[in-house]
Amino acid sequence: MHGSHVTDVQRDRAVDYLQRAFASGVIDSESFEDRVATALTASTRAELNSSLRGIARVVDPSHHSDVAPMARPPVVDSAQNVGAGFTHLSGYIFPFFLGPVIVKAVARPGSRLWLEAGRALSFQLTAISVALALGMVMALLNVGESLFFFGVIGWLVTTSVLAIRAFQGQNSTAAFEKVLLFRPPQQRNRQIGE
């Protein structure tokens, strides 16, 4: 069946859609990797559709069309991105995790701002836990003013990088969520644009 085959252009569009879904927190990194692999190896519409199932409205494989099965693009909410970035930066003003706690408490559950507040909180709690553990080791071994200095610089830089990613509408902690001691909330099976 000629109409059921997909082109490289359609595969690329599906991968682009998946990248936007991952950047906006609709799917996690594991789901993203699995879905991209499925999209890149798809030879039929049904296979391509399976890479988008649950996050996009897909076309029935028996429906013949030259258009790739794509849903509307995600809605970019600049205000939520700005709020998400400032949520990360609030660690500089409040005692580390207090800003993210306040934002998470007042944000709408499931919203981008709520998710990023959870990510900021997860990072800050992990950073505090690591700092306390290293502080105890440094005190026991009587070493470490320079280590403390480098730790503070690392925390400042990482917090800034996470804020920049959040300002850009990305999942701020996606690169290292698996090593966080406190796991941030995940957004699963949510329709883009809701």
Side-chain angles (χ1 to χ4, degrees):
M1 283 176 25
H2 179 269
S4 67
H5 292 287
V6 294
T7 66
D8 288 338
V9 171
Q10 291 171 320
R11 284 187 206 94
D12 291 344
R13 287 171 58 191
V15 169
D16 179 61
Y17 189 89
L18 291 167
Q19 288 171 334
R20 288 181 285 152
F22 175 67
S24 60
V26 173
I27 55 176
D28 62 21
S29 58
E30 185 177 331
S31 178
F32 171 72
E33 291 170 10
D34 292 343
R35 288 171 182 266
V36 167
T38 300
L40 290 174
T41 59
S43 59
T44 66
R45 288 254 170 91
E47 292 169 350
L48 188 63
N49 289 352
S50 71
S51 73
L52 302 170
R53 190 145 289 117
I55 61 168
R57 181 181 47 80
V58 294
V59 177
D60 183 333
S62 64
H63 180 272
H64 300 292
S65 172
D66 292 332
V67 179
M70 303 300 289
R72 65 186 184 271
V75 174
V76 177
D77 187 342
S78 298
Q80 291 224 12
N81 290 344
V82 169
F86 279 117
T87 298
H88 283 280
L89 295 177
S90 69
Y92 294 156
I93 301 166
F94 296 107
F96 303 109
F97 61 90
L98 188 56
V101 166
I102 292 169
V103 173
K104 191 161 177 66
V106 299
R108 181 177 50 84
S111 68
R112 167 144 174 72
L113 189 56
W114 183 84
L115 289 167
E116 278 303 320
R119 292 176 183 131
L121 180 59
S122 297
F123 169 72
Q124 295 299 341
L125 291 175
T126 298
I128 291 168
S129 299
V130 169
L132 289 173
L134 288 177
M136 289 190 306
V137 169
M138 290 185 316
L140 288 173
L141 299 177
N142 199 23
V143 295
E145 288 180 10
S146 61
L147 289 177
F148 178 76
F149 173 76
F150 287 117
V152 170
I153 296 300
W155 171 78
L156 289 169
V157 169
T158 305
T159 299
S160 296
V161 168
L162 295 179
I164 290 167
R165 289 178 54 83
F167 280 127
Q168 294 172 341
Q170 300 173 2
N171 174 341
S172 59
T173 58
F176 57 89
E177 283 181 355
K178 291 183 182 188
V179 299
L180 292 176
L181 298 176
F182 302 92
R183 295 292 167 94
Q186 298 294 317
Q187 181 181 28
R188 298 183 189 276
N189 298 327
R190 188 165 170 237
Q191 182 73 21
I192 291 181
E194 285 183 17

